[in-house]
Amino acid sequence: MISTHEDADYVPHGPMYINANGFHRSHLEMEKSFKVYVYEEGEPPMFHDGPCKSIYSTEGRFIHEMEKGNFYRTKNPDDALVYFLPFSVVAMVQYLYEPGGHDRQAIGHTLADYIGLISGKHPFWNRSLGADHFMLSCHDWGPYSTSYVPQLFNNSIRVLCNANTSEGFNPLKDVSLLEIHLRTREITGLIGGPSPSRRPILAFFAGRLHGHIRYLLLEQWKEKDQDIQVYDNLPAGVSYESMLRKSKFCLCPSGYEVASPRVVEAIYAECIPVLISDSYVPPFSDVLNWKSFSVEVAVKDITNIKKILTSISQTQYIRMHRRLKQVQRHFVINGPPKRFDLFHMILHSIWLRRLNIQIKD
């Protein structure tokens, strides 16, 4: 439950961790040993660049931090444990996809050409068939785009917001990435919320119709219950952020894709996230025990949401709230990054998967 290692910044402890001591020891070892080589091939804006605000901000922020080279990056590829493919699917969609069309092949062919370039120029891809390489994408089309390169899809570590096991996401080798909607480049004012006693609303959701799960949620609960406040459009003069902070639980249904920025919005506002999805793998599930600070509701149980949430006692809720505040640090984007924050947690997930791969020269 608690790490046996001293640490001036943070000592993981409590049931929020599957193994607090193991995680801390692994994180410390990563900080000492992990080296990432970033391929220099490719030109901006589709390579070495990405959006730092918008719903795809985690993609751009990670690419930019790796490009700065202040953490884990090595310029010597022979020293690297993993190799980063610094392309942005968001940028490829922007520059290669014709809006209104259905042809996404240009994106897939660009990725195939890029892998062909680096595998022909460097020995590292062919040595492992891509198993010690990773890509990162928060766009819905990230998983589909990788299917144009079978070794990238099947062998490489794919860091994806759209972590859907029914669409080929493999938790043993792939990494689930948080979707964070940054409207500015800063998170100032987004983090923190009232104590449990100052949250009068049991559960809250606001969002337009976007996929089958939200349809079921809106159909069942929209403006029907003062305890379960569900809206497609908030009433005039009502702030979305204030509703998050007034609510004990925040409903986070999947849209057309499994990931939702509402998970992080809830964690930042210290509102217990209620994950409503099928086939979704929450981020950092190999380290964090999500059941200790969130609620998972199967799609088939949407009608029972109130029953499920009211069955959680006040004592249990306060305990979950305290745990949520403690793990909040792992979901925060910092500039520059801080130990145990989102940037380091993403790299730790990649580090864990790299440890499972044996490469023979």
Side-chain angles (χ1 to χ4, degrees), residues 6 14 20 67 79 93 109 119 123 149 155 164 178 181 185-186 203 209 221 229 233 238 269 306 310 341 347 349:
E6 294 184 3
E67 290 292 330
D79 291 339
V93 171
H109 292 324
S119 63
V149 186
N155 300 343
N164 188 341
L178 283 167
H181 192 180
R185 290 176 180 265
E186 304 299 326
L209 185 61
W221 292 106
Q229 297 201 17
N233 289 297
V238 177
K306 185 171 182 178
T310 53
D341 70 358
L347 281 163
S349 294

Side-chain angles (χ1 to χ4, degrees), residues 6-10 24 27-28 31 71-72 329-330 334 336-342 344-345:
E6 294 184 3
D7 198 310
D9 290 323
Y10 177 64
H24 196 196
H27 200 284
L28 293 171
E31 290 174 317
F71 298 88
Y72 304 103
R329 71 181 68 236
H330 301 313
N334 291 305
K338 298 178 182 179
R339 298 179 69 219
F340 301 103
D341 70 358
L342 178 64
H344 286 84
M345 290 296 286

Side-chain angles (χ1 to χ4, degrees), residues 1-3 11-21:
M1 285 294 185
I2 186 167
S3 172
V11 177
H13 62 279
M16 303 82 67
Y17 299 98
I18 295 170
N19 182 336
N21 186 55

Side-chain angles (χ1 to χ4, degrees), residues 88-309:
S88 169
V89 174
V90 174
M92 288 183 178
V93 171
Q94 181 180 350
Y95 291 101
L96 299 177
Y97 176 69
E98 190 173 327
H102 299 283
D103 187 3
R104 295 180 280 181
Q105 291 188 6
I107 300 167
H109 292 324
T110 301
L111 283 184
D113 289 345
Y114 184 69
I115 299 300
L117 172 66
I118 60 126
S119 63
K121 189 174 179 180
H122 304 278
F124 311 108
W125 179 276
N126 293 328
R127 184 179 66 184
S128 68
L129 301 179
D132 55 355
H133 288 57
F134 76 95
M135 55 77 67
L136 181 144
S137 174
C138 208
H139 198 279
D140 294 349
W141 294 356
Y144 171 82
S145 302
T146 64
S147 67
Y148 280 81
V149 186
Q151 289 178 345
L152 178 60
F153 188 93
N154 295 314
N155 300 343
S156 298
I157 300 167
R158 300 179 307 151
V159 185
L160 301 168
C161 283
N162 190 10
N164 188 341
T165 56
S166 70
E167 296 179 1
F169 182 88
N170 179 359
L172 296 177
K173 74 164 190 70
D174 296 328
V175 172
S176 178
L177 179 64
L178 283 167
E179 193 171 277
I180 303 177
H181 192 180
L182 288 183
R183 290 163 178 82
T184 69
R185 290 176 180 265
E186 304 299 326
I187 59 168
T188 307
L190 296 180
I191 296 178
S195 65
S197 62
R198 294 165 57 208
R199 293 175 178 265
I201 301 168
L202 178 64
F204 164 70
F205 169 80
R208 60 188 176 84
L209 185 61
H210 192 260
H212 179 64
I213 295 175
R214 289 198 198 173
Y215 169 80
L216 295 175
L217 181 67
L218 288 164
E219 182 183 48
Q220 178 66 34
W221 292 106
K222 179 185 170 184
E223 300 175 22
K224 293 181 179 177
D225 193 305
Q226 280 302 302
D227 290 329
I228 311 293
Q229 297 201 17
V230 170
Y231 304 91
D232 53 359
N233 289 297
L234 279 173
V238 177
S239 159
Y240 178 75
E241 288 74 19
S242 70
M243 291 295 288
L244 292 176
R245 287 171 168 78
K246 288 179 182 176
S247 303
K248 290 181 169 65
F249 298 92
C250 290
L251 306 181
C252 307
S254 294
Y256 285 114
E257 304 299 344
V258 291
S260 169
R262 284 166 177 78
V263 177
V264 170
E265 291 169 351
I267 292 171
Y268 283 4
E270 297 168 8
C271 177
I272 304 298
V274 179
L275 310 182
I276 309 172
S277 65
D278 285 329
S279 308
Y280 178 53
V281 179
F284 319 134
S285 295
D286 35 21
V287 167
L288 298 179
N289 174 21
W290 277 79
K291 290 183 179 179
S292 71
F293 59 88
S294 69
V295 179
E296 294 184 18
V297 174
V299 174
K300 63 180 178 62
D301 290 327
I302 283 175
T303 55
N304 298 320
I305 284 176
K306 185 171 182 178
K307 181 179 179 182
I308 292 168
L309 297 183

Side-chain angles (χ1 to χ4, degrees), residues 16-53:
M16 303 82 67
Y17 299 98
I18 295 170
N19 182 336
N21 186 55
F23 165 55
H24 196 196
R25 183 178 177 183
S26 176
H27 200 284
L28 293 171
E29 187 62 35
M30 175 187 75
E31 290 174 317
K32 288 192 298 182
S33 307
F34 202 31
K35 289 183 172 63
V36 180
Y37 180 73
V38 181
Y39 282 109
E40 296 180 357
E41 287 75 17
E43 296 180 0
M46 293 192 295
F47 298 86
H48 308 286
D49 198 3
C52 288
K53 59 180 183 178

